[in-house]
Amino acid sequence: MSDCTFTPSRCHIDLSALVRNFARMGDPANLMPVIKSDAYGHGLMPVAHALDKAGACRFAVGTVSEAAALRREGFSQFIVPLLGALGEDEWREAYANRIVTPICSHEDLAMAAAVCPEGRTFDVVISLETGMGRLGFCRKEVPSLIEALRTHPRLRPVLALSHMACADMPDETDYTTAQQESFTRVTDALREAFPQMARSLNNSAGTLRLPETAFEICRPGIALYGGNPFTGTEWEDEGNDLEWVMSVSSPVLQVRRLMPGQSISYGRIFTAPEEMTVAIVASGYATGFSRALSNNCDILVNGRRCPQIGRICMGMSMVDVSAIGHVEAGDTAWIIGGEPQPGQRVVTAQEIAETLGTISYEVLCLMGSTNPRVYH
Ligand SMILES: *Cc1c(COP(=O)(O)O)cnc(C)c1O
């Protein structure tokens, strides 16, 4: 860790909004909040502490390393590293820290059994492939899986998990139904052999819309951070009360006049059509403010939306503040979030994602990991 910082921009995390979103997901006893990838850019430890205080009894992270860090921090929750364990050292670390690790193949199963000493037990997750084409056992492998688990009684399969590919898409309900049916069929068979096994299928979209497959545990991710999985679809209202947790501020470095015909920034993609007032803001692509947004997004200054102009640079960008009255160096601009004036809307991670042709998850991960975070 370096003790210097390359930006005066800040990522603000509103932990009370996170906790309110968590409460919207239902009873904590039925939830495993997903805090992988540094809690989608919001910071693993502060998010875990806030959810712990709000009653979270489980966490899903990405790696065994994240899971072990949570243990060292003192968390006693049921923790699942969604990417599984890689190699013998990680399997040992997982066992030593009571990390409930996914088994995705017979090789994983053998490794898990090998690191668990005689006379001890190791709680594990059975990862099932039902339509993502990603990790886990598919349906026809389940009989051999049950067989293998029976020969390794030290391994205790406490959870069966699979992941939805398109539960957020009204046009794909047939596929989602097929995944639900496939998961139900496979877990029925597994639970005949291992009745204590819990089930988890729903992501945020499923948690909000598919109570029929809530089973024992739902795994919301993006919804905790305020992202509505249904934005732009006919189901949009079902996630409308979620609140964004992250906002990103950046100071105005200088305010200058631009004369008609004068260009601004690299490549001269913007030329002033008339006399303008321009604020130079200390946010750029190095802090997740993508250069692909150049000339094509707004920045909130003094609570009002102002058009960004010219190429976004590595650590700076320019914004046309001609319409909004007095702005001076040291004022705060907001890349996402902030306090809007009446009649104004904040810029959201969702809006930026749509302009970029991506999803809010990516914007949050990038801005959250590059801007120094402050917690409120
Ligand atoms: C990321 C992830 C989730 C959470 O998905 P959201 O769409 O953010 O709710 C749940 N389960 C698995 C396996 C994941 O990888």
Side-chain angles (χ1 to χ4, degrees):
M1 266 299 180
S2 158
D3 59 1
C4 66
T5 173
F6 65 83
T7 180
S9 293
R10 291 292 177 268
C11 175
H12 304 260
I13 304 295
D14 180 355
L15 291 172
S16 52
L18 172 87
V19 166
R20 288 191 293 275
N21 290 335
F22 182 55
R24 291 180 177 105
M25 301 297 110
D27 184 345
N30 304 118
L31 296 173
M32 178 157 65
V34 181
I35 57 174
K36 68 192 182 195
S37 298
D38 211 15
Y40 291 43
H42 295 66
L44 177 66
M45 290 306 166
V47 165
H49 280 292
L51 293 173
D52 173 46
K53 285 199 196 84
C57 52
R58 306 179 190 86
F59 294 121
V61 292
T63 61
V64 171
S65 165
E66 288 173 291
L70 288 173
R71 280 282 179 268
R72 285 195 299 279
E73 186 81 357
F75 290 105
S76 57
Q77 274 86 349
F78 180 106
I79 306 177
V80 175
L82 295 168
L83 300 174
L86 282 100
E88 198 177 321
D89 288 349
E90 276 202 3
W91 276 107
R92 276 190 202 296
E93 191 179 11
Y95 171 75
N97 286 287
R98 293 167 291 108
I99 308 301
V100 192
T101 306
I103 286 182
C104 304
S105 64
H106 285 284
E107 290 72 23
D108 281 350
L109 199 150
M111 193 79 85
V115 301
C116 177
E118 196 74 54
R120 300 294 174 88
T121 59
F122 187 5
D123 288 357
V124 294
V125 181
I126 300 303
S127 178
L128 297 168
E129 154 52 22
T130 60
M132 271 292 280
R134 221 164 61 171
L135 301 178
F137 292 88
C138 51
R139 199 169 138 212
K140 63 178 197 309
E141 296 172 296
V142 166
S144 69
L145 168 64
I146 292 172
E147 194 72 11
L149 285 167
R150 285 204 168 110
T151 63
H152 294 290
R154 277 173 286 177
L155 300 181
R156 297 204 319 161
V158 293
L159 175 66
L161 178 150
S162 191
H163 196 40
M164 297 281 209
C166 46
D168 53 336
M169 298 169 73
D171 292 344
E172 293 284 359
T173 49
D174 287 353
Y175 196 85
T176 299
T177 304
Q179 277 200 274
Q180 292 175 296
E181 284 170 3
S182 166
F183 185 74
T184 304
R185 219 172 307 122
V186 171
T187 51
D188 281 351
L190 276 166
R191 276 155 61 96
E192 231 166 81
F194 305 99
Q196 81 284 10
M197 213 181 201
R199 294 159 291 182
S200 180
L201 179 61
N202 284 348
N203 56 2
S204 292
T207 306
L208 290 167
R209 281 206 80 253
L210 302 171
E212 67 274 24
T213 42
F215 298 115
E216 290 73 34
I217 301 171
C218 290
R219 305 187 309 273
I222 193 66
L224 299 174
Y225 311 103
N228 179 351
F230 311 119
T231 301
T233 77
E234 66 203 60
W235 296 337
E236 183 159 347
D237 285 353
E238 305 192 37
N240 257 348
D241 57 348
L242 298 165
E243 301 168 68
W244 291 105
V245 171
M246 181 187 296
S247 45
V248 175
S249 71
S250 189
V252 172
L253 300 172
Q254 187 175 357
V255 178
R256 66 183 317 113
R257 297 294 286 176
L258 209 57
M259 292 302 146
Q262 229 183 325
S263 66
I264 193 162
S265 192
Y266 295 116
R268 309 186 62 226
I269 65 167
F270 184 87
T271 301
E274 61 207 0
E275 197 174 335
M276 298 175 89
T277 309
V278 175
I280 316 304
V281 172
S283 194
Y285 56 79
T287 48
F289 192 33
S290 174
R291 186 173 178 276
L293 295 163
S294 298
N295 265 354
N296 198 19
C297 65
D298 290 337
I299 295 177
L300 201 76
V301 185
N302 291 348
R304 295 184 54 187
R305 277 180 174 251
C306 301
Q308 190 282 322
I309 55 172
R311 281 256 196 267
I312 293 171
C313 311
M314 189 180 289
M316 285 188 250
S317 50
M318 285 61 62
V319 54
D320 172 11
V321 294
S322 309
I324 69 160
H326 189 71
V327 179
E328 61 182 16
D331 282 358
T332 300
W334 294 87
I335 305 303
I336 55 175
E339 282 298 321
Q341 295 273 345
Q344 296 279 311
R345 284 176 305 116
V346 297
V347 178
T348 63
Q350 176 67 33
E351 173 184 341
I352 287 184
E354 281 170 23
T355 306
L356 291 171
T358 182
I359 52 175
S360 61
Y361 303 58
E362 186 176 346
V363 173
L364 297 175
C365 285
L366 285 175
M367 290 193 179
S369 61
T370 51
N371 292 284
R373 287 183 297 243
V374 290
Y375 291 86
H376 304 279

